[in-house]
Amino acid sequence: MTITAPPPRQRTLPVADKGLKLGAIGLVSSLVLGVASTAPGYSLAATLGYVTQEVGVQAPIIMVLAFIPMLCISYAYRALNEDTPDCGTSFTWVARTFGRHAGWLTGWVIVVADVIVMANLAEVAGQYTLDLLGFASDKAAVTAIGCVWIIAMTVVAWVGIEFSARTQVFLLGIEIVILLVFSVVAVSLKKKGPAGTQSRAPRWSWFNPFDSGLTPSALSAGFLLAVFIYWGWDSAVSTNEETKDPYVTPGRAAVLSTVILLFTFVLVTVAAQAYGGIGTTGIGLANPATMDDSLSGIGESVLGGWGAKALFLAILTSAAASTQTTILPTARTTLAMAAYRALPRVFGNIHPRYRTPSVSTWAMGIVSVAFYGGLVWLSEDALGDLIASMGLLIAFYYGLTGFPAASFRFALLFLTVAPLWVDEP
């Protein structure tokens, strides 16, 4: 038997030329898009209280545990992108592995999930714009401002990928700096928390998943909540065709995004818990009255009168950035679906100057405005119920993307090892 060298690596699926601007952004821009799309400030403010309610002081370890599947899926995206850097991402990869019907379903799951979350992001942006300016909250005003934010971010996404990336650097920079300052000051003042709080020094026991007080049901509930706040880093891969070195850079940005999110979520969680405690009154994270925004009250206490305004700004920029980075991947998913004839070809139209998907981008913006406005008009509680069910959609398309990655790696291993037992004629 003669041992031969493994066959040269083959790209199993040619990437359709969609007309996007090639090589427009680098690793830093891709990384910023991946991190910004998760809306770290907003995600923490909206979710941390509910996680604390479920698991108490074990919230930091929940953030770590939720990171593990996200890291694994990010490696799956990286492996698939190395083989086929197509802006359709999950749609394209699932269609290649399981057939066009499974790919079509995956593409529509992504679109539906993104439209739902756009409504939520718009409402957050509208609410925090009023809070930052000091105006009283009004449902009609919140909805109107939220729709304006959607249109504004649609324009940014339409004008060009470079402009989008520069806007994200600015918005994410404000958000991360404010969260970092808040965390450092909160930890340093942990022993000076207001009377009645359960402020305490950070402890290693917070990172113990086997703590006797953590029941399996609480662990499961906290884990599902935390998984939701990591969602969005795959935007870094959706712009792969517009990235320098498209076979390497997007996958690397996706993996690094999850790592940066891990440190951000753990740092802010530990700081907020150390200063405010997990009590159900005052600025305690488990206070039912402030659970929808558990950071603003702590921010005012930690940073003084301007603290609440600073966190309002962090959450506003977080929601605005995530609005834009939700439009970007959705438009590229529908662009790819049109390129492979899973949608009408009009969705594949590219602006001749900006080199962005014109119809797909504006369709996403207009549908999001119509969906958000219609939902508010029909029922004020419907949006909350839809957001609560989002985890199923996310788990569906993330999980389904993992199977093509496993299939691809198995096939690559077979092609590499097969010559070792095949006799040459």
Side-chain angles (χ1 to χ4, degrees):
M1 180 177 69
T2 303
I3 296 177
T4 61
R9 183 173 176 182
Q10 300 292 325
R11 307 295 177 188
T12 58
L13 182 69
V15 177
D17 182 9
K18 307 177 187 68
L20 295 168
K21 189 171 185 178
L22 306 181
I25 58 175
L27 177 61
V28 173
S29 295
S30 294
L31 186 60
V32 167
L33 290 174
V35 175
S37 189
T38 65
Y42 154 70
S43 298
L44 282 166
T47 311
L48 184 54
Y50 291 97
V51 173
T52 302
Q53 183 185 47
E54 297 290 346
V55 302
V57 295
Q58 257 57 51
I61 188 57
I62 294 297
M63 299 298 174
V64 176
L65 293 176
F67 160 76
I68 296 173
M70 287 298 173
L71 179 66
C72 294
I73 292 296
S74 71
Y75 268 100
Y77 270 76
R78 178 178 178 178
L80 291 165
N81 184 81
E82 286 177 354
D83 181 66
T84 309
D86 190 291
C87 69
T89 61
S90 295
F91 156 74
T92 305
W93 301 328
V94 172
R96 178 187 65 178
T97 305
F98 299 118
R100 59 182 183 176
H101 293 96
W104 182 87
L105 178 61
T106 302
W108 276 109
V109 166
I110 294 172
V111 171
V112 170
D114 287 345
V115 169
I116 292 173
V117 83
M118 280 286 286
N120 185 243
L121 292 169
E123 183 160 279
V124 171
Q127 179 64 60
Y128 280 90
T129 298
L130 293 175
D131 290 341
L132 187 63
L133 297 176
F135 293 120
S137 178
D138 176 79
K139 196 65 178 180
V142 168
T143 304
I145 294 172
C147 290
V148 170
W149 272 111
I150 293 177
I151 297 300
M153 293 299 102
T154 302
V155 172
V156 171
W158 176 61
V159 165
I161 189 65
E162 297 104 323
F163 183 56
S164 296
R166 288 194 295 268
T167 303
Q168 287 301 317
V169 169
F170 173 73
L171 294 174
L172 183 65
I174 293 175
E175 178 184 357
I176 294 298
V177 167
I178 292 174
L179 290 177
L180 181 61
V181 170
F182 162 78
S183 300
V184 171
V185 176
V187 171
S188 66
L189 296 178
K190 59 186 178 296
K191 294 183 179 180
K192 300 179 182 179
T197 63
Q198 300 176 18
S199 57
R200 65 190 75 186
R203 302 174 183 177
W204 286 113
S205 60
W206 295 355
F207 293 89
N208 177 17
F210 304 105
D211 185 89
S212 59
L214 192 60
T215 65
S217 60
L219 179 64
S220 175
F223 177 81
L224 289 175
L225 286 166
V227 164
F228 173 76
I229 70 174
Y230 277 95
W231 174 51
W233 51 263
D234 49 304
S235 295
V237 188
S238 296
T239 55
N240 47 18
E241 295 184 42
E242 300 153 280
T243 306
K244 299 172 185 176
D245 196 356
Y247 289 98
V248 176
T249 299
R252 184 175 296 169
V255 174
L256 290 175
S257 294
T258 62
V259 175
I260 291 173
L261 290 169
L262 168 68
F263 283 103
T264 303
F265 291 153
V266 170
L267 177 63
V268 176
T269 299
V270 169
Q273 190 167 289
Y275 186 85
I278 61 169
T280 56
T281 58
I283 62 172
L285 293 177
N287 184 350
T290 60
M291 204 170 289
D292 289 336
D293 181 8
S294 56
L295 292 184
S296 295
I298 298 178
E300 184 173 7
S301 180
V302 170
L303 300 176
W306 63 274
K309 294 289 186 182
L311 281 177
F312 287 162
L313 180 60
I315 296 169
L316 174 59
T317 56
S318 178
S322 188
T323 299
Q324 183 202 335
T325 49
T326 300
I327 296 170
L328 281 174
T330 312
R332 279 145 185 81
T333 296
T334 53
L335 170 67
M337 292 174 75
Y340 295 112
R341 303 184 183 181
L343 276 179
R345 291 188 178 183
V346 67
F347 285 91
N349 288 355
I350 297 293
H351 192 281
R353 177 184 174 188
Y354 302 139
R355 306 282 294 276
T356 56
S358 293
V359 174
S360 288
T361 299
W362 279 105
M364 176 59 182
I366 293 170
V367 169
S368 296
V369 168
F371 178 78
Y372 174 43
L375 202 63
V376 171
W377 179 70
L378 288 172
S379 171
E380 294 186 6
D381 298 326
L383 181 57
D385 295 335
L386 285 172
I387 293 298
S389 66
M390 281 279 294
L392 294 175
L393 298 175
I394 298 166
F396 177 85
Y397 88 82
Y398 271 171
L400 202 56
T401 305
F403 288 107
S407 173
F408 164 68
R409 285 304 184 189
F410 177 79
L412 186 62
L413 176 65
F414 177 79
L415 289 173
T416 304
V417 177
L420 299 179
W421 66 73
V422 176
D423 290 327
E424 287 190 341

